[in-house]
Amino acid sequence: MTVESVKPEAQPNVASQLNEPPVAGGAVPLLGHGLKLVRDPLAFMSQLRDHGDVVRLRLGPKTVYAVTAPHLTGALALSPDYIIAGPLWESLESLLGEQGVATANGPLHRRQRRTIQPAFRLDVIPEYGPIMAEEAYALVERWRSGDVLDVTAESFRVAVRVAARCLMRGTYMDARAERICAALATLFSGMYQRMVVPLGPLYKVPIKRNREFNRALADLHLLVDEIIAERRASGQKPDDLLTALLEAEDEKGEPIGKQEIHDQVVAILTPGSETVGSTIMSLLLVLTEYPDLADKIRDEVKTVVGDRPVAFEDIRKLRYTANVVVETMRLYPAVWILTRRTVTETELGGYRIPAGADVVYCPYAIQRDHRSYERHEEFDPGRWLPERSEEVPKYAMVPFSVGNRKCPSDHFSMAELTLLTAAIASAYRFEQAPGSDARPRIGITLRPRRLMLRALPR
């Protein structure tokens, strides 16, 4: 099914004659469904499929349209009737700005994609392999101490270091990685609340939570300014993404502005590091809860690699390991909720969607839908074997999105995650330590709440 744009001169009343989607039950005065989205968002979004392919939600004074069917989420991603906007992106603008590739639309977004895409070409990614392997084995070596691992800190640290070293080629991140991780943890938690309960000016009241959020935001932007200033001052121009940004030109052939450069660096460091870091946490939880999977990964690595360390060149042959990564992203998607906004009155799933409407969908719910997957709650890497993956409906599993909003770093991220998983599972088994809390932590991204592990050498 496709989404049809309404063109008044040709079809003046097509969408206007359609019905509005049904309203989901359980709304409360003033907050609407926002309270349910705060209390148990995963269960709430998963239950919406029982009310239809498209339903209406109330978030404070706003009406939001929720989509629950895979074919309609594909339509959202591919139709020009929808742009990147809505509660999610509004909550992220204070972090990502309005001029970064994650939040821009139209010609600006297309130009930015052209600037950053060369850094993620398939023929370029192997150049990052030695850095990915070095960081993976630095992690393995650091864990030999036997100390209890704070998985949140460890996962964010390696994600930030890989992104910084590969895409901004500098050691200046070493002293800043911990500050970035601390800032991101505070920001992504606070932004989710701002999305589902849009109280506007009340978030400026100087209570403790708001003060912590504002301090973290200021520190992150200061860190980005320091990174850019340090590169400019060095006079160095390595062949990396930061150099490409500093030398990029706008549509008039002029250098792009300082704010756009700033927003683009934020977009490099934050969404990518947050989503990859969250996925690493979920992978470590999977290796802990399913030790037989970890054993199979170790066996595959020994068959493919032997006794030497895993290298980037081995990744294509580590098919079982990659399938574990994909199945982890299915059941524990870091990006568990997304929003779009209509630019014209349109039709979706047989319902009228007005111009300027916010539309939301939940990859977590889509990817656990019993209508799309047999044994939908079961962790089964084998479902991604070529002969079985064809059974999965189109758009029921698109962890990197599709269309012009497809994540440019999809191959980069899969290579990084596969290499890390292979190196870690070959070296250790894991058990949860006292104080660990593996329940999902709901923020802009999804990850374990406070995963504390002991790494047991094999």
Side-chain angles (χ1 to χ4, degrees):
M1 180 178 293
T2 59
V3 179
E4 299 291 341
S5 299
V6 176
K7 302 184 185 305
E9 69 278 11
Q11 305 179 49
N13 296 308
V14 174
S16 298
Q17 294 173 356
L18 296 174
N19 293 326
E20 289 262 13
V23 177
V28 300
L30 297 179
L31 296 180
H33 297 95
L35 196 59
K36 286 183 176 290
L37 276 169
V38 169
R39 287 179 172 173
D40 195 351
L42 300 179
F44 177 69
M45 294 299 294
S46 296
Q47 291 165 2
L48 291 179
R49 70 171 74 100
D50 299 331
H51 301 282
D53 290 350
V54 185
V55 296
R56 278 181 290 162
L57 305 179
R58 307 287 188 192
L59 299 184
K62 287 188 173 184
T63 296
V64 175
Y65 296 78
V67 176
T68 69
H71 65 284
L72 295 182
T73 64
L76 285 174
L78 296 172
S79 171
D81 288 354
Y82 301 89
I83 60 172
I84 288 289
L88 170 64
W89 305 104
E90 288 170 358
S91 69
L92 284 171
E93 279 183 357
S94 59
L95 170 60
L96 301 179
E98 299 180 7
Q99 298 184 41
V101 70
T103 52
N105 285 290
L108 176 60
H109 176 257
R110 289 192 291 272
R111 172 171 60 74
Q112 292 174 337
R113 289 279 298 211
R114 288 195 298 269
T115 299
I116 68 174
Q117 195 64 56
F120 297 110
R121 290 199 324 263
L122 283 173
D123 61 325
V124 173
I125 292 175
E127 297 178 12
Y128 306 135
I131 295 174
M132 293 179 181
E134 184 179 321
E135 290 295 334
Y137 281 98
L139 201 69
V140 169
E141 284 302 313
R142 189 163 63 253
W143 291 356
R144 294 194 191 283
S145 67
D147 295 340
V148 172
L149 305 176
D150 181 341
V151 172
T152 302
E154 293 292 311
S155 300
F156 274 141
R157 186 176 188 275
V158 70
V160 168
R161 286 183 60 84
V162 169
R165 291 190 62 201
C166 289
L167 304 176
M168 295 189 287
R169 303 289 175 95
T171 58
Y172 41 74
M173 288 301 302
D174 291 354
R176 298 183 173 102
E178 296 304 322
R179 285 170 61 192
I180 289 175
C181 294
L184 289 179
T186 300
L187 290 170
F188 277 87
S189 176
M191 283 172 182
Y192 175 70
Q193 181 177 339
R194 284 161 168 75
M195 179 182 76
V196 300
V197 187
L199 298 180
L202 292 182
Y203 289 121
K204 296 181 180 180
V205 176
I207 60 176
K208 180 181 178 182
R209 180 175 292 183
N210 290 344
R211 290 197 303 270
E212 289 176 348
F213 181 92
N214 291 331
R215 278 198 300 268
L217 185 62
D219 194 36
L220 186 67
H221 285 300
L222 177 61
L223 284 164
V224 169
D225 287 337
E226 290 175 1
I227 291 167
I228 296 170
E230 199 160 320
R231 170 60 68 83
R232 288 188 186 278
S234 72
Q236 298 177 354
K237 295 183 179 182
D239 184 15
D240 65 2
L241 190 51
L242 183 53
T243 296
L245 292 173
L246 292 173
E247 296 187 341
E249 296 179 345
D250 63 17
E251 291 79 1
K252 299 178 181 179
E254 299 292 332
I256 64 174
K258 291 182 179 180
Q259 188 61 51
E260 184 178 340
I261 294 172
H262 176 100
D263 290 352
Q264 290 287 64
V265 173
V266 172
I268 295 167
L269 287 177
T270 52
S273 298
E274 173 73 14
T275 54
V276 171
S278 296
T279 303
I280 294 169
M281 291 178 226
S282 294
L283 279 163
L284 285 166
L285 176 61
V286 165
L287 295 178
T288 304
E289 294 190 336
Y290 302 97
D292 58 317
L293 299 182
D295 292 341
K296 290 179 181 178
I297 292 172
R298 186 193 185 209
D299 291 344
E300 180 178 65
V301 171
K302 285 190 71 67
T303 300
V304 171
V305 178
D307 294 327
R308 64 173 171 79
V310 181
F312 183 87
E313 293 73 23
D314 303 314
I315 290 174
R316 288 182 180 274
K317 299 178 183 178
L318 297 174
R319 293 170 184 163
Y320 182 82
T321 305
N323 287 345
V324 170
V325 173
V326 174
E327 182 71 346
T328 299
M329 291 192 292
R330 180 183 77 86
L331 286 173
Y332 308 100
V335 180
W336 69 275
I337 192 165
L338 287 165
T339 62
R340 296 288 192 271
R341 179 168 291 157
T342 58
V343 294
T344 184
E345 185 178 60
T346 191
E347 177 269 336
L348 185 63
Y351 294 106
R352 183 182 74 87
I353 310 295
D358 291 330
V359 183
V360 62
Y361 64 98
C362 178
Y364 177 94
I366 297 286
Q367 292 167 195
R368 288 172 174 250
D369 193 331
H370 63 87
R371 298 172 298 182
S372 297
Y373 296 94
E374 292 185 7
R375 304 184 310 279
H376 59 286
E377 298 286 352
E378 180 181 321
F379 194 99
D380 178 14
R383 73 174 81 244
W384 303 111
L385 292 170
E387 62 271 21
R388 291 183 58 193
S389 61
E390 294 180 359
E391 301 170 4
V392 178
K394 195 173 184 179
Y395 306 123
M397 179 61 182
V398 283
F400 299 104
S401 193
V402 294
N404 68 349
R405 307 309 304 208
K406 184 176 183 286
C407 176
S409 64
D410 53 349
H411 295 291
F412 178 97
S413 298
M414 272 302 300
E416 175 186 1
L417 291 167
T418 302
L419 199 156
L420 278 166
T421 302
I424 291 168
S426 297
Y428 297 108
R429 292 179 295 107
F430 297 94
E431 63 180 20
Q432 291 197 48
S436 182
D437 186 350
R439 292 176 297 169
R441 174 190 176 276
I442 309 298
I444 294 294
T445 55
L446 179 69
R447 54 185 171 87
R449 189 169 298 186
R450 187 173 185 267
L451 193 58
M452 308 294 290
L453 299 181
R454 292 188 186 279
L456 308 175
R458 288 185 178 275

